[in-house]
Amino acid sequence: MAKYRFIFLFSVLIMLVALTTYAAKDEATVEGVWNFDNGDAADTSGKGLNGNIVGDPEVVDGIVGKALLFDGVDDGVKLPDSVGINTLAQPNFYTDRTIAAYFNCTDVDITEQKQTIFEEGGRTRGLVLNVFDGQVYVAGWNRAEYQWQGAFPSAPVESGKWYHVALVIRDATNAVEPNKFEMWLNGELIASEDGGALFGHGDDIGIGHVNANAVFHDEDGAGTNIHYFGGIIDEVIVYNSAFDASDFAAYAAPVVSVEPQDKFTTTWASIKAQRTRQ
């Protein structure tokens, strides 16, 4: 009897773990995927949020298929407003969010401007991924409703090197609470800070630059068409679910692999194709 009870309990535990893992990255919550594989800013998520390329970024080999090389001066991608990203109706705030991207910054030590990988929102509410003075930052804030002034964790990075960076809002409410805002880098949890849910925000969305207003760690960011990124950006994703370590491990595989470039690129391209078909 004890043996069967153990088997039953073990089976239940395995089921719970499986359910938890599934609930982390939920494909039903995908809101945008821009992989640049066709040399454009088409959204391959099925949501139709195709971007408008400005400037003249070069199509180059990325870490996962093709990517865009931005000049740091006037290259960027402008994304349309989306009910699932920044202008939702009901519910009136986002409790879970994952934004992630691969990047390879030409010069991480630039201090004349922030180098924006992705931004959404404005001065009151928003999210940002950016590079500045040898650090990659993720940022989130909601300075109305419940007065989350923001979290701005960062980690050191090097020029000419690939990274996978992500921010996560996890199971948040309309209150500032501990461990609701996370930074992940190359599959590792870097920081877990105070945070909260993100209410709807109408300012425009940008890749490779600030399209319309943001807030950086030093309160800079007001304006349009500013803070351009210099380097390569590949596969930007937005999900309204909170990824976990197993999810990020898969995305981090290319940047932490010690295998030859052609071998792991081929392997990862297969993984990516399977992911896109889901």
Side-chain angles (χ1 to χ4, degrees), residues 49 65 72 74 80 92 125 127 137 148 169-170 181 195 244 275:
L49 297 180
D74 59 5
N92 63 348
R125 312 167 191 85
L127 301 169
Y137 287 82
W148 177 29
I169 296 175
R170 188 179 303 280
F181 186 76
D244 65 9
R275 199 170 64 237

Side-chain angles (χ1 to χ4, degrees), residues 7 98 183 186 189 219 221 261:
I7 294 173
T98 297
M183 176 182 186
N186 292 352
L189 177 62
E219 294 297 315
Q261 175 75 25

Side-chain angles (χ1 to χ4, degrees), residues 33-78:
V33 175
W34 300 272
N35 59 29
F36 310 121
D37 282 351
N38 294 321
D40 56 21
D43 171 21
T44 62
S45 74
K47 293 300 179 72
L49 297 180
N50 299 323
N52 177 35
I53 293 177
V54 296
D56 189 24
E58 183 181 352
V59 180
V60 298
D61 290 334
I63 196 166
V64 188
K66 294 298 182 181
L68 293 183
L69 172 60
F70 298 87
D71 65 5
V73 178
D74 59 5
D75 291 344
V77 175
K78 296 183 180 296

Side-chain angles (χ1 to χ4, degrees), residues 24-25 29 31-32 96-100 120 127 164-170 182 184 237-244 247-248 251:
K25 178 187 177 184
T29 70
E31 297 297 343
D96 295 273
R97 173 70 61 88
T98 297
I99 299 173
E120 60 169 279
L127 301 169
H164 185 260
V165 64
L167 67 77
V168 174
I169 296 175
R170 188 179 303 280
E182 300 172 357
W184 293 76
I237 64 171
V238 179
Y239 278 70
N240 281 329
S241 54
F243 287 20
D244 65 9
D247 299 319
F248 285 123
Y251 281 91

Side-chain angles (χ1 to χ4, degrees), residues 7-252:
I7 294 173
F8 172 76
L9 291 175
F10 182 76
S11 299
V12 170
L13 177 61
I14 294 298
M15 290 175 63
L16 289 174
V17 170
L19 287 172
T20 301
T21 302
Y22 174 79
K25 178 187 177 184
D26 183 354
E27 289 296 338
T29 70
V30 63
E31 297 297 343
V33 175
W34 300 272
N35 59 29
F36 310 121
D37 282 351
N38 294 321
D40 56 21
D43 171 21
T44 62
S45 74
K47 293 300 179 72
L49 297 180
N50 299 323
N52 177 35
I53 293 177
V54 296
D56 189 24
E58 183 181 352
V59 180
V60 298
D61 290 334
I63 196 166
V64 188
K66 294 298 182 181
L68 293 183
L69 172 60
F70 298 87
D71 65 5
V73 178
D74 59 5
D75 291 344
V77 175
K78 296 183 180 296
L79 300 177
D81 286 337
S82 163
V83 171
I85 296 179
N86 68 331
T87 60
L88 81 176
Q90 293 296 328
N92 63 348
F93 55 80
Y94 306 94
T95 61
D96 295 273
R97 173 70 61 88
T98 297
I99 299 173
Y102 296 100
F103 74 94
N104 185 327
C105 189
T106 303
D107 183 359
V108 302
D109 296 317
I110 289 176
T111 58
E112 292 79 14
Q113 63 189 38
K114 282 61 176 186
Q115 299 192 71
T116 307
I117 300 168
F118 176 93
E119 64 83 19
E120 60 169 279
R123 299 294 286 178
T124 304
R125 312 167 191 85
L127 301 169
V128 166
L129 310 175
N130 75 279
V131 174
F132 178 74
D133 195 17
Q135 301 275 319
V136 59
Y137 287 82
V138 305
W141 62 96
N142 197 104
R143 295 176 171 180
E145 289 84 33
Y146 63 96
Q147 301 302 315
W148 177 29
Q149 295 305 307
F152 305 90
S154 67
V157 290
E158 300 175 15
S159 302
K161 185 175 180 179
W162 279 106
Y163 296 91
H164 185 260
V165 64
L167 67 77
V168 174
I169 296 175
R170 188 179 303 280
D171 193 26
T173 65
N174 58 338
V176 179
E177 298 176 309
N179 303 319
K180 296 300 183 182
F181 186 76
E182 300 172 357
M183 176 182 186
W184 293 76
L185 188 66
N186 292 352
E188 299 292 331
L189 177 62
I190 300 300
S192 182
E193 301 194 3
D194 292 355
L198 185 67
F199 279 70
H201 45 287
D203 286 283
D204 294 328
I205 309 166
I207 295 174
H209 73 311
V210 172
N211 194 352
N213 294 305
V215 176
F216 295 103
H217 65 282
D218 58 359
E219 294 297 315
D220 191 13
T224 59
N225 302 319
I226 54 176
H227 295 298
Y228 288 89
F229 182 85
I232 308 172
I233 299 176
D234 196 359
E235 187 158 323
V236 180
I237 64 171
V238 179
Y239 278 70
N240 281 329
S241 54
F243 287 20
D244 65 9
S246 62
D247 299 319
F248 285 123
Y251 281 91

